[in-house]
Amino acid sequence: MALLYGSLAYMAGILIGRAIFDWLGVRCPLPEWLWLAPFGLLPLVLFLQRRNEAKMGAGMRWPTSAGFEPPRPSAAPGLLWALALCAAAGALRYAGHPFTPCWTPTDLAYYNLPADRAFERSAPKMTLFGFVDSYPLVADVKQRLVIHVHALEIDGVQRAVAGKVRLSTGIRERYRYGQPVRVTGRLTTPPDFDSFSFREYLARKGIHSVLYGAVIEPMDAPPQGNPLLAALYAVRARGERFLNRALPEPYAALANGMLLGIESGIPDELYDQFNATGSSHVIVISGSNVALIAGVIMALMVRIVGGGRAVWFTVAGIACYALLVGGDAAVMRAGVMGSLAVVAAGMNRRSTALVSLGAACALMTLLNPLALWDVGLQLSSAATAGLILVAPDLIAGFRKTLSALHLSAFARGPVGSFFEESLMVTMAANLTTMPLVVYYFGRLSIVSLLTNLLILPAQPPIMLAGSAGAAAGIAGLELIGRLLLTLPWLCLAWTVHIVQWTAALPGASLEIAGYNTAALLATYLALVAAKTQPRWRGMLTLLDRWSAAVRWSRLVSPTAAIGLAMTTVLSWSAVASLPDGRLHLWFLDVGQGDGIFIQTPSGRQVLVDGGASPETLFAELGAVMPFWDRTIDLLVLTHPDGDHMAAQTEAPARYQVDFAIYTTHAAQHPDAVLWRERMTINAVTVLEQATGSWLDLGDGVALWVLWPPAEGVQAKDVDNEHSLVLKLVYGDFSALLTGDAGLASEEAMTAQGSPLQATLLKVGHHGSRTSTGSDFVQRVAAQVAVIQVGADNDYGHPHPEVLKALEGRTVLRTDRQGRIHARSDGRRMWIETER
């Protein structure tokens, strides 16, 4: 326990150091080695204290788990001196590594523009030279990088500097760790916002600059950086690609977060729902992940090299895993605690969890004192402390309450064990983390306990089978990996369903105002007081009817029941996903863009366009495609506009695609270069189509090409007037899909007698007044018109003139009805909408 108290004193010293140096206005850091001086005096203090104890004939008594017993008066001076030295070391450690050091011309941050000039077009740009020093994180159409800079160019002259800069760029080019680059943009100081200091957030990661308007140019030079990190990140990238191809969205993004620490792909709305329900901790890599990795490595190494050496292989494996999944503060804390437990077991010594927690936090702040302000580290440490200090009391109170109600048999049964291991543990973690959540985020989740109780049983299969599936995929055993991911997919689907359901409950999350630092400290002091009360009682009240559950628990194993339920749901989900002999046509809600998914009666699938956002498209496809199906037979690109093409460009990276079609105009268009490259890289056969072509999709379903002609057209809006116009035909049912074709194309098709009449019309160009003329509407004579349009778009779509031309028909809009589903047996049509 001496180590624990020394660690706490050291971290308190870091807080004191910041308060003192900020108050004094001292910015320039002291020498980083200065903090070693107080630690150097510790052996002398301990030696003098030990000699004093020997003279007094009494040993120093430290606090124990049985109670907080103060040391004897003779021991107090030595203890206080030792703690004071630890606190002084913490203060000096911060002084050598403050949030905002004094910059010199050799520091990159010396050349930062003020934060308020970040978006000034007249602000000067700077050219930096360095290499990619992070794992590239892709979030929809953005890619986030950290560049380690070793030189910059000013007035044509290069200067040697040192520092890191963070930037965002598009996903057209993909970068890798260690890749040398030349970057140009506006170098600025990270901004501070009203409730969040982005500057301090980046400073904790050793980054003091951000770059806006970045233009990146890869350099022809050998890779730089750490070879071990390069190898680990290559494994991580391979795992990310496999999970993205093996699972539908949003489950692939969640699996990446839970298994590989890549949270950037999780949709913001879904992440907000996890936060609102107090369940975001399941997404974060935690101690349970580390324990799993440690157990697997230890079991293998014991058989290969023996028990003694296996310890160090396991510790090395934990370190590599922590770096593999991103190495943030919470992961490193879990890794250090896991390593201490492994070493203690190897030495046949007992590991004290509370001491390990203190030592892990102290070690991390020793390496980087600013980590003390890392919210992830604070939350994970608080949750771990709750499991260590509070959970045993809650479980004891639970058992005592059952005993008082003469329900002790309930506690010994599997249902009782479930309540102890899930409900009590969840309550303990919630109690110790809730003050921090309210303090930092200003919200209190009322449904947190309910949500966590319902989703916790689904987390072990995600971790165990998901890790096994990801490992198989990384090793190239993709078929085995996909099979192993079947159960995790079901558990992920259950988790998302519960989180979305509880987040939608009235009053699920309450906004808390005025919860300041004083309130935070008072809350934790109250928790400490409750913990130290000798007659602390359990908080649970059980109903007498639970005695019936006791009898039930003797008959049915909850584990077996859950396994049977999941198997049943999985089987019925697979059956429900099978083709039903009807033609299905989904107008996907992809915002201000087009995305149409077609499934034939026997299950062949066609994707027409896809919108501008890959994240949105893949989420929509995940909602309409069978969970096990990762193939698309045909991609159709109507024309190379970003709101039709951008998301589809990424589809071959997620799905096995056989064929793609586009027009001769698109084949020559410069904007479609990336689309063509991605098709070639993924071995997709690409065919050009023009008026008069048709595709047999089987089952009597055909796709006719009505426009444009092979020789092209002369028009003012060349790109839109070269848009593919398709007619989907199945028996008496037909759908006219017009892309962004305008009035000129409509008039030309009418003049040449194209078979325009259809049951359903996809309105051209999102309802713009440049399409869907009244004569064209009369010629098509559709019963239903569908407009794919984004909510509150800047273009005023759909235009009132178009809506007037469509009067008398059923008009459906994705901005109002969401995803629209039309199905037909060749004679009748059914329409369903998401909202």
Side-chain angles (χ1 to χ4, degrees), residues 12-25 94 373:
I14 295 177
L15 295 173
I16 295 170
R18 182 180 186 184
I20 292 175
F21 285 98
D22 286 357
W23 178 65
L24 294 175
Y94 174 81
W373 285 271

Side-chain angles (χ1 to χ4, degrees), residues 522-534:
T523 304
Y524 278 114
L525 287 175
L527 286 175
V528 171
K531 165 67 182 175
T532 55
Q533 273 292 331

Side-chain angles (χ1 to χ4, degrees), residues 602-755:
S602 62
R604 291 185 179 178
Q605 296 161 330
V606 179
L607 175 63
V608 181
D609 294 333
S613 166
E615 180 182 286
T616 303
L617 171 64
F618 297 145
E620 286 289 290
L621 291 177
V624 302
M625 293 180 67
F627 70 90
W628 41 264
D629 191 354
R630 309 300 297 160
T631 63
I632 296 177
D633 297 284
L634 175 66
L635 295 181
V636 178
L637 177 62
T638 59
H639 65 300
D641 277 0
D643 58 343
H644 293 248
M645 177 183 64
Q648 192 188 94
T649 301
E650 303 298 318
R654 294 293 191 103
Y655 300 88
Q656 176 63 46
V657 179
D658 296 329
F659 296 93
I661 63 172
Y662 62 169
T663 64
T664 302
H665 176 74
Q668 302 169 356
H669 202 287
D671 290 348
V673 170
L674 182 61
W675 185 90
R676 295 193 293 267
E677 289 178 355
R678 295 291 170 82
M679 299 302 131
T680 302
I681 291 172
N682 291 279
V684 179
T685 302
V686 181
L687 304 173
E688 297 179 21
Q689 299 292 314
T691 302
S693 302
W694 67 283
L695 300 173
D696 183 1
L697 301 181
D699 311 308
V701 180
L703 199 60
W704 297 353
V705 180
L706 305 185
W707 192 262
E711 64 274 13
V713 295
Q714 297 294 327
K716 182 178 180 181
D717 192 350
V718 176
D719 289 345
N720 284 346
E721 300 303 346
H722 278 93
S723 178
L724 272 174
V725 176
L726 307 169
K727 184 173 182 180
L728 180 69
V729 179
Y730 178 48
D732 296 333
F733 170 83
S734 58
L736 189 63
L737 312 177
T738 58
D740 276 0
L743 296 174
S745 299
E746 295 172 2
E747 292 171 1
M749 286 187 288
T750 301
Q752 69 185 19
S754 298

Side-chain angles (χ1 to χ4, degrees), residues 57-70:
M60 184 183 298
R61 294 192 293 173
W62 293 90
T64 65
S65 58
F68 287 79
E69 181 183 357

Side-chain angles (χ1 to χ4, degrees), residues 352-408:
T352 304
L354 199 58
V355 174
S356 298
L357 174 61
C361 293
L363 178 60
M364 293 188 60
T365 52
L366 201 63
L367 298 174
N368 178 11
L370 306 187
L372 192 60
W373 285 271
D374 189 284
V375 178
L377 177 62
Q378 293 177 15
L379 288 171
S380 68
S381 300
T384 304
L387 301 182
I388 298 169
L389 296 174
V390 180
D393 289 336
L394 290 179
I395 292 174
F398 175 72
R399 291 175 178 174
K400 187 180 294 185
T401 304
L402 288 179
S403 178
L405 295 174
H406 305 289
L407 294 174
S408 299

Side-chain angles (χ1 to χ4, degrees), residues 508-520:
S509 180
L510 302 180
E511 186 173 348
I512 306 296
Y515 192 82
N516 52 24
T517 305
L520 178 71

